[in-house]
PDB file of all heavy atoms in Angstrom:
ATOM      1  N   LYS D 212       5.841  17.409 -49.265  1.00  0.00           N
ATOM      2  CA  LYS D 212       4.517  16.852 -49.551  1.00  0.00           C
ATOM      3  C   LYS D 212       4.251  16.905 -51.056  1.00  0.00           C
ATOM      4  O   LYS D 212       3.962  17.968 -51.602  1.00  0.00           O
ATOM      5  CB  LYS D 212       3.446  17.631 -48.767  1.00  0.00           C
ATOM      6  CG  LYS D 212       3.506  17.337 -47.266  1.00  0.00           C
ATOM      7  CD  LYS D 212       2.360  17.931 -46.503  1.00  0.00           C
ATOM      8  CE  LYS D 212       1.138  17.053 -46.412  1.00  0.00           C
ATOM      9  NZ  LYS D 212       1.332  15.769 -45.736  1.00  0.00           N
ATOM     10  N   SER D 213       4.373  15.747 -51.707  1.00  0.00           N
ATOM     11  CA  SER D 213       4.225  15.679 -53.168  1.00  0.00           C
ATOM     12  C   SER D 213       2.776  15.351 -53.539  1.00  0.00           C
ATOM     13  O   SER D 213       2.280  14.275 -53.192  1.00  0.00           O
ATOM     14  CB  SER D 213       5.157  14.611 -53.741  1.00  0.00           C
ATOM     15  OG  SER D 213       6.493  14.947 -53.435  1.00  0.00           O
ATOM     16  N   PRO D 214       2.100  16.235 -54.267  1.00  0.00           N
ATOM     17  CA  PRO D 214       0.693  15.976 -54.596  1.00  0.00           C
ATOM     18  C   PRO D 214       0.505  15.156 -55.875  1.00  0.00           C
ATOM     19  O   PRO D 214       1.370  15.156 -56.753  1.00  0.00           O
ATOM     20  CB  PRO D 214       0.138  17.388 -54.799  1.00  0.00           C
ATOM     21  CG  PRO D 214       1.314  18.191 -55.248  1.00  0.00           C
ATOM     22  CD  PRO D 214       2.561  17.551 -54.714  1.00  0.00           C
ATOM     23  N   ALA D 215      -0.649  14.498 -55.956  1.00  0.00           N
ATOM     24  CA  ALA D 215      -1.091  13.895 -57.211  1.00  0.00           C
ATOM     25  C   ALA D 215      -2.441  14.518 -57.534  1.00  0.00           C
ATOM     26  O   ALA D 215      -3.276  14.689 -56.634  1.00  0.00           O
ATOM     27  CB  ALA D 215      -1.215  12.391 -57.071  1.00  0.00           C
ATOM     28  N   ILE D 216      -2.622  14.887 -58.811  1.00  0.00           N
ATOM     29  CA  ILE D 216      -3.871  15.521 -59.226  1.00  0.00           C
ATOM     30  C   ILE D 216      -4.535  14.627 -60.274  1.00  0.00           C
ATOM     31  O   ILE D 216      -3.875  14.207 -61.234  1.00  0.00           O
ATOM     32  CB  ILE D 216      -3.592  16.893 -59.892  1.00  0.00           C
ATOM     33  CG1 ILE D 216      -2.718  17.762 -58.968  1.00  0.00           C
ATOM     34  CG2 ILE D 216      -4.890  17.614 -60.242  1.00  0.00           C
ATOM     35  CD1 ILE D 216      -2.150  18.976 -59.667  1.00  0.00           C
ATOM     36  N   VAL D 217      -5.809  14.379 -60.101  1.00  0.00           N
ATOM     37  CA  VAL D 217      -6.557  13.612 -61.110  1.00  0.00           C
ATOM     38  C   VAL D 217      -7.733  14.479 -61.541  1.00  0.00           C
ATOM     39  O   VAL D 217      -8.585  14.826 -60.712  1.00  0.00           O
ATOM     40  CB  VAL D 217      -7.063  12.273 -60.526  1.00  0.00           C
ATOM     41  CG1 VAL D 217      -7.850  11.496 -61.586  1.00  0.00           C
ATOM     42  CG2 VAL D 217      -5.899  11.432 -59.999  1.00  0.00           C
ATOM     43  N   ASP D 218      -7.770  14.845 -62.820  1.00  0.00           N
ATOM     44  CA  ASP D 218      -8.901  15.681 -63.249  1.00  0.00           C
ATOM     45  C   ASP D 218     -10.011  14.827 -63.888  1.00  0.00           C
ATOM     46  O   ASP D 218      -9.871  13.597 -63.998  1.00  0.00           O
ATOM     47  CB  ASP D 218      -8.432  16.848 -64.146  1.00  0.00           C
ATOM     48  CG  ASP D 218      -8.243  16.456 -65.604  1.00  0.00           C
ATOM     49  OD1 ASP D 218      -8.367  15.253 -65.930  1.00  0.00           O
ATOM     50  OD2 ASP D 218      -7.973  17.351 -66.428  1.00  0.00           O
ATOM     51  N   GLU D 219     -11.068  15.470 -64.320  1.00  0.00           N
ATOM     52  CA  GLU D 219     -12.244  14.717 -64.781  1.00  0.00           C
ATOM     53  C   GLU D 219     -12.033  14.057 -66.149  1.00  0.00           C
ATOM     54  O   GLU D 219     -12.839  13.234 -66.569  1.00  0.00           O
ATOM     55  CB  GLU D 219     -13.495  15.623 -64.790  1.00  0.00           C
ATOM     56  CG  GLU D 219     -13.526  16.732 -65.831  1.00  0.00           C
ATOM     57  CD  GLU D 219     -12.720  17.977 -65.454  1.00  0.00           C
ATOM     58  OE1 GLU D 219     -11.781  17.863 -64.644  1.00  0.00           O
ATOM     59  OE2 GLU D 219     -13.021  19.055 -65.993  1.00  0.00           O
ATOM     60  N   THR D 220     -10.920  14.418 -66.843  1.00  0.00           N
ATOM     61  CA  THR D 220     -10.674  13.786 -68.149  1.00  0.00           C
ATOM     62  C   THR D 220      -9.742  12.581 -68.036  1.00  0.00           C
ATOM     63  O   THR D 220      -9.459  11.909 -69.028  1.00  0.00           O
ATOM     64  CB  THR D 220     -10.011  14.795 -69.127  1.00  0.00           C
ATOM     65  OG1 THR D 220      -8.665  15.041 -68.661  1.00  0.00           O
ATOM     66  CG2 THR D 220     -10.763  16.095 -69.218  1.00  0.00           C
ATOM     67  N   ALA D 221      -9.219  12.329 -66.853  1.00  0.00           N
ATOM     68  CA  ALA D 221      -8.160  11.315 -66.699  1.00  0.00           C
ATOM     69  C   ALA D 221      -8.643   9.914 -67.068  1.00  0.00           C
ATOM     70  O   ALA D 221      -9.825   9.590 -66.924  1.00  0.00           O
ATOM     71  CB  ALA D 221      -7.659  11.324 -65.258  1.00  0.00           C
ATOM     72  N   ASN D 222      -7.707   9.105 -67.513  1.00  0.00           N
ATOM     73  CA  ASN D 222      -7.978   7.679 -67.699  1.00  0.00           C
ATOM     74  C   ASN D 222      -7.940   7.067 -66.292  1.00  0.00           C
ATOM     75  O   ASN D 222      -6.865   6.828 -65.714  1.00  0.00           O
ATOM     76  CB  ASN D 222      -6.889   7.071 -68.590  1.00  0.00           C
ATOM     77  CG  ASN D 222      -7.054   5.584 -68.777  1.00  0.00           C
ATOM     78  OD1 ASN D 222      -7.511   4.872 -67.878  1.00  0.00           O
ATOM     79  ND2 ASN D 222      -6.694   5.102 -69.949  1.00  0.00           N
ATOM     80  N   LEU D 223      -9.110   6.829 -65.716  1.00  0.00           N
ATOM     81  CA  LEU D 223      -9.187   6.485 -64.293  1.00  0.00           C
ATOM     82  C   LEU D 223      -8.599   5.114 -63.975  1.00  0.00           C
ATOM     83  O   LEU D 223      -8.035   4.899 -62.902  1.00  0.00           O
ATOM     84  CB  LEU D 223     -10.640   6.561 -63.817  1.00  0.00           C
ATOM     85  CG  LEU D 223     -11.268   7.958 -63.878  1.00  0.00           C
ATOM     86  CD1 LEU D 223     -12.697   7.919 -63.340  1.00  0.00           C
ATOM     87  CD2 LEU D 223     -10.459   8.990 -63.102  1.00  0.00           C
ATOM     88  N   GLU D 224      -8.729   4.213 -64.928  1.00  0.00           N
ATOM     89  CA  GLU D 224      -8.186   2.865 -64.711  1.00  0.00           C
ATOM     90  C   GLU D 224      -6.665   2.934 -64.531  1.00  0.00           C
ATOM     91  O   GLU D 224      -6.106   2.428 -63.566  1.00  0.00           O
ATOM     92  CB  GLU D 224      -8.542   2.014 -65.940  1.00  0.00           C
ATOM     93  CG  GLU D 224      -8.540   0.539 -65.700  1.00  0.00           C
ATOM     94  CD  GLU D 224      -9.613   0.085 -64.721  1.00  0.00           C
ATOM     95  OE1 GLU D 224     -10.752   0.590 -64.800  1.00  0.00           O
ATOM     96  OE2 GLU D 224      -9.295  -0.755 -63.867  1.00  0.00           O
ATOM     97  N   ARG D 225      -6.024   3.622 -65.474  1.00  0.00           N
ATOM     98  CA  ARG D 225      -4.560   3.765 -65.416  1.00  0.00           C
ATOM     99  C   ARG D 225      -4.148   4.592 -64.195  1.00  0.00           C
ATOM    100  O   ARG D 225      -3.177   4.276 -63.518  1.00  0.00           O
ATOM    101  CB  ARG D 225      -4.039   4.475 -66.661  1.00  0.00           C
ATOM    102  CG  ARG D 225      -4.189   3.706 -67.934  1.00  0.00           C
ATOM    103  CD  ARG D 225      -2.973   2.820 -68.173  1.00  0.00           C
ATOM    104  NE  ARG D 225      -3.086   2.181 -69.466  1.00  0.00           N
ATOM    105  CZ  ARG D 225      -3.773   1.070 -69.705  1.00  0.00           C
ATOM    106  NH1 ARG D 225      -4.397   0.461 -68.701  1.00  0.00           N
ATOM    107  NH2 ARG D 225      -3.832   0.556 -70.913  1.00  0.00           N
ATOM    108  N   ALA D 226      -4.889   5.674 -63.944  1.00  0.00           N
ATOM    109  CA  ALA D 226      -4.541   6.547 -62.817  1.00  0.00           C
ATOM    110  C   ALA D 226      -4.590   5.750 -61.516  1.00  0.00           C
ATOM    111  O   ALA D 226      -3.649   5.797 -60.709  1.00  0.00           O
ATOM    112  CB  ALA D 226      -5.504   7.737 -62.756  1.00  0.00           C
ATOM    113  N   ALA D 227      -5.672   4.991 -61.321  1.00  0.00           N
ATOM    114  CA  ALA D 227      -5.831   4.236 -60.078  1.00  0.00           C
ATOM    115  C   ALA D 227      -4.679   3.246 -59.904  1.00  0.00           C
ATOM    116  O   ALA D 227      -4.054   3.174 -58.838  1.00  0.00           O
ATOM    117  CB  ALA D 227      -7.172   3.498 -60.094  1.00  0.00           C
ATOM    118  N   LYS D 228      -4.387   2.523 -60.956  1.00  0.00           N
ATOM    119  CA  LYS D 228      -3.351   1.483 -60.880  1.00  0.00           C
ATOM    120  C   LYS D 228      -1.977   2.089 -60.569  1.00  0.00           C
ATOM    121  O   LYS D 228      -1.239   1.620 -59.711  1.00  0.00           O
ATOM    122  CB  LYS D 228      -3.309   0.747 -62.225  1.00  0.00           C
ATOM    123  CG  LYS D 228      -2.601  -0.574 -62.194  1.00  0.00           C
ATOM    124  CD  LYS D 228      -2.797  -1.261 -63.527  1.00  0.00           C
ATOM    125  CE  LYS D 228      -2.208  -2.660 -63.515  1.00  0.00           C
ATOM    126  NZ  LYS D 228      -2.383  -3.327 -64.809  1.00  0.00           N
TER     127      LYS D 228
END
Side-chain angles (χ1 to χ4, degrees):
K212 289 188 88 61
S213 299
I216 307 167
V217 179
D218 83 354
E219 69 280 24
T220 70
N222 177 327
L223 296 182
E224 202 65 42
R225 293 271 185 277
K228 197 173 185 181

